[in-house]
């Protein structure tokens, strides 16, 4: 018995001795811009002792004490790096920076060559502020061309459709917190500025479907934006004919801050519309992001935003030509009187308190609040004429008058509190969250339209005067949502290659309709060991579109034909089951420049759908779950250095989006067979201070319907075709700073630029207005978008 005890004691001492003879090596692997590199292999040279970096670029492994070792760092798209450690005696931290393989050609971070093992990919922002953009500079403009399956057919709006979904089906996060947009906006002219401030943005990630359980209850896409944490004083200003912006960032000890202000005034662009008048749109946005580190383990951040969008419009007249070469050309003329005055004010604040339990585990408390006060008021009357255009004269086929009135008000408040955490366990990363959201929405809608055609009030009634349409609403919505998720990401290597498996489940409860939702989701990524230039991924899951405000409004009609809105307490969340198959191929051509070709095939099974119509950017829902359908397609993208030192990409998508209503198969309002996008940047080979960028969108027009068959489109709008071109010149750069010690040496760069929007002056169509001719037939009059417009801008950074 004593011998057995002695043997066990010796064995325990031996194990302890061996453990004591090892030390821990940990650190972070990043690229030249300081961004973390995920899935880098960290290995002791000549051994099987190794590990992988997590999504924050962190790693940890044990090495032998009192023994010199060489640590090897490798990752697809980056140069191999070796670091020797002589006679380690205690735990050490080793932070490593890896350079892209084609680093000598780089002027910006290569995002195209990073390994993507799930459907969440990084979006390249091209030339940043120098990029041509009719919205005045937005992150969404890059998503519209670089994101897979993304479509936008309105240059006045930052809203976009993803793989057959509408604008409301996209969720947006900034620093891990969901953000919102105003709800009463009807057109791109009213929209102003989006929430995301490009000047404050550090990284952008986007998924077109099959995303993780940690992302919320939307059916189409996720846009995940992270703001900067400055390491030193920085700032910049930009001014153009569309508006301007300024920001400043700084760091002092444990405190960092970045604050930005943006102003937009799109009068010059709106003056190219068919409807002439006095446009006075103004948008102001103030944002700040503050962080403070109480200690190495405890830190706090705050994000605040105030936005005020005003749209004042006094219409004058409108002249729109309709028809084609083969059809009779018609002309629609209107003379207006009256005015429109809209205002959308939003206030947003969010605080996060985060504590690092260990090096690989943390817990955080997030609290956020959002308030939106919205007013849309107008009284506009007009006289219109519809005529056939003959060689020498016009043949009048319709005339009438109308009066449109609205007094719409909305007040929305959203409060959210969430506890969330993450833990790294060997090759697993576990994430979880529990939260509650309180929503309080009050809307007051009063709209009507009167029409008189050929001397008769429509609809005609011999006994009394009737308005053509009316809508009334007085609804208060107060509800609570409870939600949570847990997911695990497991990454491992075999002889076959690298695998990344993510699986999780999301659950929620909405007090308004008593609905419980459970959303399981999973994705698998694979990088072959024999050829790491290929990456393959599969993703599937159940995704719900939980009603927020518009989806469960039902328009009813009383005995007088007046419309009024009631709320559907029996509404169910719309459901979509995603199946995504994708892959990337990284290759080099043209003197070793890096390229990536990516392809994704997808199928989405849709049920419990609420049919809707789209008019410009205004979405009207049927208010009941009465249809089902599907969306299927393929997205292809090519990213790379078409021109040395510049980033470019092109994409082509094919899609079909159908739904079944009353047993009839019809196109969804977002059904778009094809979509081609191109972003090309270039510079003068002998004079690199002169740079240019080109943006092209060519997409099939969207379906639309006539009054009376709103949810069953019978017509197709013409294709959306647009080319924007921008040219920039570097007045002052880094090489100029060494030549002087004057005031100008404080500037990092100064650019002057010229943008030409809608280069070929193609008047695209955003929606259709319907008017009645002498025969009583409804005529669709296209509401055309902006024409060719010049924009001049000045950009400076310090």
């Amino acid at each position: 018995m004593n011998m057995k005890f002695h043997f066990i004691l010796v064995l325990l001492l031996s194990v302890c001795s061996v453990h004591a003879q090892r030390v821990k090596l940990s650190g972070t692997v990043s690229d030249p811009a300081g961004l973390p590199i995920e899935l880098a292999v960290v290995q002791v040279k000549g051994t099987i002792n190794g590990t992988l970096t997590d999504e924050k670029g962190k790693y940890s492994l044990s090495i032998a004490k009192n023994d010199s070792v060489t640590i090897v760092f490798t990752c697809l798209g980056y140069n191999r790096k070796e670091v020797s450690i002589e006679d380690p005696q205690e735990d050490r931290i080793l932070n490593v920076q890896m350079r892209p393989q084609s680093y000598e050609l780089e002027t910006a971070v290569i995002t195209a060559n990073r390994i993507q093992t799930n459907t969440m990919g990084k979006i390249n922002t091209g030339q940043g502020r120098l990029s041509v953009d009719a919205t005045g500079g937005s992150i969404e403009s890059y998503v519209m061309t670089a994101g897979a399956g993304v479509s936008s057919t309105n240059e006045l709006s930052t809203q976009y459709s993803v793989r057959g979904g509408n604008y409301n089906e996209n969720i947006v996060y900034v620093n891990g917190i969901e953000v919102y947009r105003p709800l009463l906006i009807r057109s791109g002219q009213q929209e102003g500025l989006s929430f995301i401030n490009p000047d404050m943005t550090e990284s952008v990630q986007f998924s077109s479907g099959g995303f993780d359980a940690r992302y919320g209850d939307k059916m189409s896409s996720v846009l995940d934006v992270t703001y900067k944490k400055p390491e030193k004083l920085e700032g910049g200003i930009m001014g153009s004919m569309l508006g301007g912006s300024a920001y400043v960032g700084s760091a002092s000890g444990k405190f960092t801050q970045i604050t930005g202000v943006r102003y937009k005034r799109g009068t010059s662009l709106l003056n190219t519309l068919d409807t002439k008048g006095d446009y006075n749109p103004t948008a102001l946005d103030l944002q700040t992001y503050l962080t403070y580190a109480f200690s190495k383990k405890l830190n706090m951040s705050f994000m605040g935003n105030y936005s005020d969008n005003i749209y004042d419009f006094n219409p004058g007249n409108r002249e729109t030509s309709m028809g084609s070469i083969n059809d009779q050309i018609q002309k629609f003329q209107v003379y207006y009187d009256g005015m429109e005055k809209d205002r959308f004010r939003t206030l947003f604040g969010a605080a996060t308190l985060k504590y690092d339990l260990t090096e690989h585990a943390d817990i955080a408390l997030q609290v956020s609040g959002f308030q939106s006060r919205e007013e849309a008021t107008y009284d506009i009357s007009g006289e219109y004429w519809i005529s056939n255009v003959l060689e020498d004269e016009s043949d009048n086929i319709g005339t009438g008058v109308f009066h449109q009135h609205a007094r719409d008000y909305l007040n929305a408040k959203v409060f959210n509190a969430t506890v969330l955490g993450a833990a790294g366990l060997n090759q697993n990363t576990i994430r979880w969250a529990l939260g509650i959201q309180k929503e309080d929405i009050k809307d007051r809608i009063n709209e009507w339209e009167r029409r008189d055609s050929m001397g008769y009030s429509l609809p005609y009634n011999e006994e009394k005067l009737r308005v053509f349409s009316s809508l009334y609403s007085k609804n208060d919505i107060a509800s609570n949502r409870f939600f949570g998720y847990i997911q695990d990401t497991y990454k491992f290597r075999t002889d076959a290659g690298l695998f990344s498996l993510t699986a999780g489940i999301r659950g929620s409860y909405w007090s308004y309709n008593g609905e419980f939702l459970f959303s399981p989701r999973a994705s698998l990524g694979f990088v072959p060991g024999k050829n790491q230039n290929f990456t393959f991924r599969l993703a599937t899951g159940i995704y719900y579109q939980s009603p927020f405000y518009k989806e469960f409004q039902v328009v009813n009609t009383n005995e007088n034909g007046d419309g009024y809105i009631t709320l559907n307490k029996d509404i169910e969340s719309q459901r979509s089951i995603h199946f995504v198959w994708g892959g990337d191929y990284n290759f080099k051509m043209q003197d070793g420049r890096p390229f990536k070709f990516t392809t994704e095939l997808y199928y989405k099974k849709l049920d419990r759908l609420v049919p809707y119509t789209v008019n410009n950017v205004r979405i009207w829902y049927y208010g009941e779950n009465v249809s089902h359908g599907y969306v299927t397609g393929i997205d292809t993208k090519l990213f790379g250095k078409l021109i040395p030192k510049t980033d470019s990409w092109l994409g082509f998508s094919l899609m079909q989006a159908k739904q079944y209503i009353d047993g009839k198969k019809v196109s969804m309002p977002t059904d778009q067979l094809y979509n081609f996008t191109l972003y090309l940047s270039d510079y003068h080979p002998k004079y690199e201070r002169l740079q240019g960028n080109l943006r092209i969108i060519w997409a099939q027009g969207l379906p639309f319907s006539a009054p009376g068959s709103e949810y069953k489109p019978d017509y197709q709008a013409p294709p959306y075709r647009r080319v924007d071109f921008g040219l920039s010149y570097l007045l002052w750069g880094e090489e100029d700073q060494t030549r002087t010690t004057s005031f100008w040496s404080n500037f990092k760069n100064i650019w002057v630029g010229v943008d030409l929007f809608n280069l070929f002056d193609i008047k695209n169509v955003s929606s259709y207005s319907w008017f009645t001719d002498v025969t009583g037939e409804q005529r669709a009059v296209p509401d055309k978008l902006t024409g060719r417009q010049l924009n001049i801008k000045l950009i400076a950074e310090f």
Side-chain angles (χ1 to χ4, degrees):
M1 188 73 179
N2 291 334
M3 290 185 63
K4 288 182 178 180
F5 177 78
H6 179 72
F7 174 76
I8 294 174
L9 181 61
V10 171
L11 182 61
L12 290 174
L13 290 173
S14 299
V15 171
C16 293
S17 177
V18 170
H19 180 73
Q21 292 175 7
R22 302 188 69 82
V23 296
K24 184 175 77 169
L25 180 69
S26 61
T28 303
V29 180
S30 60
D31 64 14
L35 297 177
I37 298 177
E38 185 184 7
L39 299 178
V41 179
V42 184
Q43 190 171 15
V44 178
K45 188 174 182 180
T47 72
I48 60 172
N49 181 20
T51 187
L52 297 171
T53 58
D54 61 18
E55 62 183 17
K56 297 179 181 179
K58 295 184 179 296
Y59 71 93
S60 176
L61 76 162
S62 63
I63 59 176
K65 188 177 182 180
N66 299 320
D67 188 13
S68 298
V69 295
T70 299
I71 309 299
V72 181
F73 298 84
T74 58
C75 186
L76 175 64
Y78 294 86
N79 292 322
R80 173 189 176 101
K81 185 160 188 173
E82 296 186 3
V83 179
S84 296
I85 300 178
E86 302 291 337
D87 192 22
Q89 296 293 321
E90 56 186 14
D91 293 349
R92 289 190 56 175
I93 295 177
L94 177 62
N95 296 324
V96 171
Q97 187 178 95
M98 299 181 68
R99 290 188 171 188
Q101 290 176 346
S102 55
Y103 184 77
E104 66 277 2
L105 297 178
E106 299 301 319
T107 57
V109 179
I110 302 176
T111 57
N113 282 348
R114 303 173 77 94
I115 297 177
Q116 183 184 336
T117 55
N118 57 22
T119 62
M120 183 66 74
K122 291 186 179 294
I123 294 292
N124 193 334
T125 55
Q127 291 183 311
R129 288 176 160 204
L130 303 182
S131 297
V132 59
D133 179 14
T135 65
S138 67
I139 292 298
E140 290 86 348
S141 66
Y142 304 114
V143 176
M144 293 171 190
T145 56
V150 180
S151 172
S152 173
T153 55
N154 189 334
E155 66 272 8
L156 293 175
S157 172
T158 58
Q159 303 305 313
Y160 50 86
S161 166
V162 180
R163 291 178 176 171
N166 65 43
Y167 313 134
N168 292 335
E169 296 175 16
N170 307 315
I171 193 167
V172 179
Y173 290 90
V174 176
N175 293 335
I177 300 170
E178 183 179 358
V179 298
Y180 301 87
R181 68 185 184 96
L183 301 171
L184 288 183
I185 287 178
R186 305 186 316 279
S187 65
Q189 296 95 300
Q190 302 170 312
E191 201 168 281
L193 292 159
S194 73
F195 183 95
I196 305 169
N197 189 326
D199 295 334
M200 300 169 62
T201 298
E202 178 180 75
S203 66
V204 181
Q205 296 188 91
F206 181 76
S207 173
S208 301
F211 40 89
D212 296 346
R214 61 176 166 145
Y215 296 112
D217 297 315
K218 297 285 187 178
M219 289 202 305
S220 289
S221 74
V222 171
L223 178 61
D224 192 354
V225 175
T226 302
Y227 277 177
K228 302 175 185 176
K229 291 178 61 176
E231 297 181 354
K232 58 182 180 180
L233 180 65
E234 63 174 84
I237 57 173
M238 189 273 288
S240 76
M241 296 170 63
L242 298 179
S245 66
Y247 82 98
V248 61
S250 63
S252 177
K254 299 180 179 181
F255 176 76
T256 72
Q257 69 82 29
I258 185 167
T259 302
V261 57
R262 292 177 293 162
Y263 176 79
K264 182 179 179 181
R265 180 176 171 81
T267 302
S268 61
L269 195 61
L270 297 180
N271 284 334
T272 66
L273 296 170
D274 283 354
T275 301
K276 307 303 179 183
D278 183 13
Y279 289 95
N280 187 26
T282 59
L284 176 67
D285 181 271
L286 301 172
Q287 284 192 50
T288 188
Y289 177 52
L290 316 174
T291 68
Y292 185 80
F294 296 98
S295 65
K296 290 184 178 181
K297 291 189 174 184
L298 181 64
N299 63 80
M300 185 176 184
S301 63
F302 172 79
M303 180 172 62
N305 168 254
Y306 171 75
S307 176
D308 192 358
N309 295 340
I310 298 175
Y311 179 71
D312 291 344
F313 177 44
N314 295 313
N317 62 82
R318 169 181 174 176
E319 182 174 312
T320 300
S321 296
M322 305 172 287
S324 63
I325 296 176
N326 300 322
D327 299 327
Q328 174 68 58
I329 302 298
Q330 297 178 340
K331 184 167 60 175
F332 177 72
Q333 294 175 289
V334 187
Y335 292 94
Y336 294 99
D337 190 20
M339 68 175 297
E340 177 175 357
K341 187 176 182 62
D342 308 323
R343 189 172 188 179
F344 310 95
R345 287 170 290 177
T346 61
L347 189 65
F348 177 83
T352 301
L353 184 65
K354 181 182 175 184
Y355 181 73
D356 294 332
L357 300 170
T358 67
E359 186 178 356
H360 299 286
D362 59 63
I363 188 171
L365 172 65
Q366 287 182 344
V367 179
S368 66
F370 168 79
Q371 182 175 14
S372 181
R373 295 181 179 271
E374 306 177 27
E375 305 171 7
T377 63
Y378 55 83
D379 270 293
I380 297 176
S381 60
E383 300 181 29
Y384 68 87
W385 290 263
I386 305 176
S387 58
N388 289 323
V389 179
L390 307 177
E391 291 186 2
D392 299 322
E393 58 183 5
S394 297
D395 178 25
N396 185 27
I397 61 173
T399 184
V401 297
F402 63 89
H403 184 182
Q404 298 171 338
H405 168 93
R407 295 293 184 270
D408 298 343
Y409 304 94
L410 183 140
N411 187 3
K413 298 178 182 179
V414 179
F415 174 80
N416 181 291
T418 305
V419 178
L420 64 161
L425 304 172
N426 297 323
Q427 294 169 290
N428 297 72
T429 301
I430 299 174
R431 296 178 180 275
W432 61 272
L434 290 172
I436 180 174
Q437 181 164 295
K438 182 177 179 59
E439 300 165 2
D440 189 358
I441 302 174
K442 295 180 174 62
D443 76 333
R444 303 292 185 266
I445 294 176
N446 187 359
E447 301 178 5
W448 54 261
E449 180 180 1
R450 183 179 66 84
R451 287 191 191 179
D452 187 302
S453 180
M454 306 299 292
Y456 291 93
S457 179
L458 300 178
Y460 178 69
N461 189 307
E462 293 183 349
E463 298 180 357
K464 59 181 177 180
L465 182 67
R466 297 272 300 276
V467 295
F468 182 77
S469 65
S470 65
L471 187 64
Y472 174 80
S473 173
K474 184 179 180 181
N475 290 305
D476 297 340
I477 308 164
S479 63
N480 297 313
R481 299 180 194 266
F482 303 88
F483 60 90
Y485 69 82
I486 184 169
Q487 72 173 45
D488 180 29
T489 300
Y490 177 52
K491 298 174 182 178
F492 60 96
R493 281 186 179 270
T494 68
D495 293 337
L498 170 67
F499 291 85
S500 178
L501 174 63
T502 299
I505 186 168
R506 185 179 186 90
S508 64
Y509 170 77
W510 189 28
S511 64
Y512 183 80
N513 63 353
E515 183 181 43
F516 287 92
L517 299 176
F518 295 96
S519 174
R521 309 173 189 178
S523 65
L524 175 65
F526 173 60
V527 182
K530 293 184 178 180
N531 190 343
Q532 295 190 13
N533 290 321
F534 286 96
T535 302
F536 303 97
R537 53 187 172 271
L538 301 173
T540 186
I542 301 176
Y543 299 83
Y544 290 94
Q545 180 77 18
S546 185
F548 180 68
Y549 164 68
K550 298 181 178 180
E551 291 92 334
F552 56 104
Q553 293 183 332
V554 180
V555 179
N556 306 276
T557 305
N558 62 21
E559 64 276 6
N560 297 320
D562 300 323
Y564 63 96
I565 294 176
T566 58
L567 304 180
N568 180 11
K569 291 271 302 186
D570 298 323
I571 193 72
E572 293 181 301
S573 296
Q574 301 176 85
R575 182 167 56 191
S576 175
I577 303 176
H578 292 196
F579 300 94
V580 182
W581 305 266
D584 304 326
Y585 174 55
N586 292 275
F587 61 97
K588 293 182 180 180
M589 59 184 297
Q590 298 180 342
D591 302 326
R593 278 170 283 182
F595 287 81
K596 182 177 79 169
F597 180 73
T598 180
T599 301
E600 285 192 352
L601 296 92
Y602 59 91
Y603 178 82
K604 299 197 290 189
K605 182 181 183 299
L606 312 174
D607 63 353
R608 309 199 311 196
L609 293 180
V610 180
Y612 63 90
T613 61
V614 180
N615 187 353
N616 203 302
V617 298
R618 190 183 197 183
I619 298 176
W620 272 113
Y621 286 91
Y622 183 73
E624 298 178 6
N625 307 93
V626 296
S627 71
H628 65 279
Y630 68 89
V631 181
T632 185
I634 180 173
D635 300 320
T636 60
K637 293 283 182 180
L638 176 64
F639 301 86
K641 306 285 180 182
L642 297 177
I643 309 297
K645 303 183 182 180
T646 64
D647 292 300
S648 302
W649 54 85
L650 62 89
F652 182 72
S653 298
L654 295 171
M655 184 189 70
Q656 186 179 74
K658 304 294 183 182
Q659 64 179 333
Y660 295 86
I661 302 178
D662 298 329
K664 181 181 178 181
K665 182 179 179 180
V666 298
S667 295
M668 299 182 70
T670 52
D671 188 19
Q672 192 174 59
L673 177 62
Y674 64 88
N675 183 24
F676 171 81
T677 59
L678 171 67
Y679 177 86
L680 178 66
S681 54
D682 196 0
Y683 63 93
H684 195 286
K686 295 184 179 179
Y687 200 63
E688 296 185 13
R689 287 176 176 262
L690 185 62
Q691 299 187 11
N693 60 91
L694 183 72
R695 189 171 181 262
I696 299 176
I697 298 179
W698 190 317
Q700 184 187 44
L702 299 176
F704 68 98
S705 55
S709 59
E710 283 83 359
Y711 304 104
K712 300 175 182 179
D714 299 314
Y715 306 97
Q716 195 86 33
Y720 182 87
R721 298 164 295 167
R722 186 175 178 89
V723 179
D724 297 325
F725 176 71
L727 200 62
S728 303
Y729 179 75
L730 181 63
L731 295 174
W732 182 271
E734 293 183 3
E735 61 183 48
D736 300 305
Q737 295 177 357
T738 59
R739 302 175 185 174
T740 181
T741 57
S742 66
F743 167 78
W744 300 106
S745 62
N746 296 312
F747 288 89
K748 185 189 303 182
N749 56 65
I750 302 176
W751 293 85
V752 61
V754 177
D755 296 330
L756 190 57
F757 301 135
N758 200 354
L759 181 63
F760 298 110
D761 199 27
I762 299 173
K763 288 292 190 76
N764 293 295
V765 177
S766 65
S767 58
Y768 285 84
S769 299
W770 293 85
F771 293 89
T772 309
D773 65 14
V774 292
T775 66
E777 181 183 352
Q778 293 272 10
R779 296 273 180 171
V781 180
D783 299 322
K784 297 184 178 180
L785 289 165
T786 60
R788 185 188 295 119
Q789 177 65 29
L790 187 70
N791 180 50
I792 301 174
K793 59 187 178 184
L794 179 67
I795 303 169
E797 292 183 318
F798 61 85

